[in-house]
């Protein structure tokens, strides 16, 4: 923002401004949570500090344009002209969000998930609202809720689940909510929001975001239920609603981990699990109007289920490992990269396309304690790279020449290139392994799943 417009952002920064209105990550430890309930005003949502933080977050997240086709790069120039009007509408309670743009993305286990992409202006306002109201609710959320919360992570959730199993709770009630983000009851959700936020301008704004509608193929459909995934408010609203489930499980003394709409409850026996599953299903339907997906929910052994991409081993010590589904999804993604690598320089393919995927997967599954999985995957990746090399060489003469140059004897090289086998077989054969050993790929900068070298720390 330039100096001429900074005053518009700074308005409303009066005696009620405080740190809790400017961020969602922390609250002063000495503050009483009850003092915050009902005290938040729209003016605090719109303070210059809070809006500036929200703008930085939206710009950092980038993301696709909404129905108005405005990009993140165009947002700040737009605000320089329009912020006084937008601020006035928000303060008077007359601001109306635009419909979200529907985008369908494939789910790992089949089917599609619906995302609702708000306009960048609405993403900014949602982010600012999230930052202001999140601290009010955070102090009340369960310690067993891990999804989309500051200071918590999926890795913490799976480690806690491992500990439950290690302590003898060797049955899990795996609860899957049927189309959760599409089925949220607006009245029930807003009742939970209004318990702690009483400024009607804020609560009405949140309700309008819930009811903004979805645009698809130029047509807008009204939203009577659900909270579209894709906006900054959606994860927080899901936690606010499902906090009722957390409190009910805590009241019962249950051992559970919840990450957004994924909830696992750990029990000592199958009979106990069946009883818990039935009672939780009834609670969700009667209290929150949410339906459990019976096809995807189950009472089972933890090592037969996956939670946030992980599973556990069945021995008494109980170790974490990446699930079979996660490994397949990972290798399928790498296969797409390898298929497009035949005409690409191998070093560039590794550094620009392969390494980011391998590094990201390894960082997420860093808690995996079954190391042979990483060893096998590293070997599989190198073999795939040798397939790329074999295909790039194309002609028999080129293959023989390259093998000889890489230290393979002349006679053996010619025998190898005339063996009549395909690329995959040759990539695993001794001549290709000796010509292109592990060291060759290390020199090209290949990131491995097993170790964190100095070059990989970048």
């Amino acid at each position: 923002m330039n100096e001429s417009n900074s005053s518009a952002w700074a308005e409303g920064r009066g005696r009620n401004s405080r740190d809790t209105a400017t961020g969602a990550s922390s609250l002063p430890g000495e503050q009483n949570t009850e003092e915050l309930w009902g005290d938040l005003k729209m003016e605090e949502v719109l303070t210059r500090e809070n809006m500036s933080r929200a703008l930085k977050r939206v710009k950092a997240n980038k993301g696709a344009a909404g129905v108005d086709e405005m990009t993140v790069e165009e947002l700040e120039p737009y605000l320089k002209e329009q912020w006084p009007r937008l601020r006035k509408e928000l303060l008077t309670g007359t601001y109306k969000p635009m419909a979200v743009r529907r985008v369908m993305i494939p789910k790992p286990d089949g089917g599609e998930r619906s995302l609702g992409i708000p306009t960048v202006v609405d993403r900014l306002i949602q982010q600012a609202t999230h930052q202001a109201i999140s601290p009010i609710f955070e102090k009340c959320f369960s310690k067993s809720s891990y999804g989309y919360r500051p200071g918590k992570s999926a890795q913490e959730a799976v480690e806690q689940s491992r500990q439950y199993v290690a302590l003898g709770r060797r049955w899990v009630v795996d609860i899957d909510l049927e189309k959760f983000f599409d089925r949220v009851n607006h009245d029930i959700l807003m009742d939970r929001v209004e318990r702690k936020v009483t400024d009607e301008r804020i609560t009405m704004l949140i309700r309008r975001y819930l009811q903004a509608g979805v645009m698809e193929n130029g047509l807008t459909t009204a939203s009577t239920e659900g909270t579209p995934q894709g906006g900054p408010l959606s994860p927080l609203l899901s936690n606010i609603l499902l906090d009722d489930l957390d409190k009910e499980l805590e009241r019962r003394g249950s051992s559970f981990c919840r990450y957004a709409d994924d909830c696992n409850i750990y029990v000592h026996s199958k009979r106990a699990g069946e009883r818990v599953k039935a009672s939780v299903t009834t609670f969700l339907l009667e209290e929150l109007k949410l339906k459990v997906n019976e096809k995807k929910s189950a009472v089972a052994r933890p090592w037969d289920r996956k939670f946030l991409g992980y599973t556990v081993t069945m021995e008494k010590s109980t170790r974490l490992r990446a699930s079979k589904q996660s490994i397949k999804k990972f290798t399928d993604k790498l296969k797409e990269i390898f298929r497009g690598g035949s005409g690409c320089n191998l070093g560039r393919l590794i550094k620009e396309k392969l390494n980011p995927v391998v590094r990201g997967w390894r960082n997420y599954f860093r808690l995996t304690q079954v190391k042979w999985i990483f060893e096998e995957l590293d070997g599989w990746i190198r073999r795939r790279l040798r397939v790329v090399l074999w295909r790039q060489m194309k002609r028999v003469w080129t293959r023989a020449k390259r093998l000889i140059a890489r230290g393979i004897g002349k006679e053996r090289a010619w025998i190898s290139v005339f063996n009549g086998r395909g690329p995959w077989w040759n990539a695993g054969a001794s001549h290709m392994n000796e010509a292109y050993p592990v060291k060759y790929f290390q020199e090209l900068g290949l990131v491995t799943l097993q170790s964190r070298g100095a070059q990989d720390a970048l």
Side-chain angles (χ1 to χ4, degrees), residues 359 442-447 453-458:
R359 186 183 291 112
Q442 288 176 340
E443 291 172 349
L444 289 177
L446 177 65
V447 168
Q455 63 178 359
D456 193 26
L458 301 176

Side-chain angles (χ1 to χ4, degrees), residues 106-261:
K107 298 172 69 173
D109 54 354
E112 291 183 317
R113 175 181 285 113
S114 174
L115 289 185
I117 308 299
T119 66
V120 289
V121 172
D122 284 324
R123 291 211 293 275
L124 172 70
I125 297 170
Q126 283 195 38
Q127 181 63 37
T129 305
H130 178 284
Q131 291 170 181
I133 71 173
S134 178
I136 299 173
F137 292 94
E138 272 296 324
K139 283 289 186 179
C140 307
F141 284 156
S142 168
K143 65 179 182 179
S144 297
S145 169
Y146 295 88
Y148 309 111
R149 295 186 58 195
K152 287 184 174 286
S153 67
Q155 284 80 6
E156 287 182 302
V158 297
E159 172 55 27
Q160 181 60 69
S161 70
R162 185 200 66 79
Q163 292 181 27
Y164 285 141
V165 178
L167 289 172
R169 298 179 179 273
R170 297 172 73 82
W171 288 88
V172 62
V173 183
D174 188 350
I175 299 293
D176 184 273
L177 296 176
E178 188 172 289
K179 297 183 178 179
F180 169 72
F181 286 94
D182 296 331
R183 299 281 174 84
V184 169
N185 183 288
H186 291 173
D187 291 334
I188 293 176
L189 171 58
M190 290 309 303
D191 175 68
R192 274 65 179 168
V193 174
E194 290 164 3
R195 291 174 186 177
K196 295 181 176 67
V197 179
T198 57
D199 188 323
E200 291 186 359
R201 294 170 297 178
I202 299 176
T203 56
M204 182 58 70
L205 177 66
I206 294 173
R207 185 178 283 273
R208 283 175 178 166
Y209 275 120
L210 293 174
Q211 299 175 340
V214 177
M215 180 175 286
E216 189 174 21
N217 299 323
L219 299 175
T220 300
T221 304
S223 299
T224 57
E225 61 180 2
T227 169
Q229 288 179 272
L233 268 176
S234 181
L236 174 60
L237 295 178
S238 69
N239 278 333
I240 291 172
L241 181 63
L242 290 175
D243 187 56
D244 278 29
L245 172 61
D246 299 340
K247 295 297 190 289
E248 174 64 16
L249 293 174
E250 288 178 338
R251 186 187 66 79
R252 299 179 184 186
S254 301
S255 299
F256 71 99
C257 297
R258 184 179 64 79
Y259 193 97
D261 57 331

Side-chain angles (χ1 to χ4, degrees), residues 158-166 169-170 172 266 301-307 309-315 317-323 369-370:
V158 297
E159 172 55 27
Q160 181 60 69
S161 70
R162 185 200 66 79
Q163 292 181 27
Y164 285 141
V165 178
R169 298 179 179 273
R170 297 172 73 82
V172 62
Y266 296 87
R301 295 292 193 179
W303 45 86
D304 292 329
R305 307 292 292 182
K306 65 180 178 70
F307 180 51
Y310 280 85
T311 188
V312 296
T313 57
M314 64 188 299
E315 71 259 29
S317 59
T318 310
R319 295 177 296 162
L320 288 170
R321 57 166 289 175
S323 69
Q369 297 164 299
V370 185

Side-chain angles (χ1 to χ4, degrees), residues 89-107:
E89 290 179 3
L90 290 163
L91 287 173
T92 57
T94 58
Y95 178 79
K96 293 184 178 180
M98 297 186 71
V100 298
R101 181 169 65 87
R102 174 169 286 167
V103 176
M104 305 302 294
I105 61 172
K107 298 172 69 173

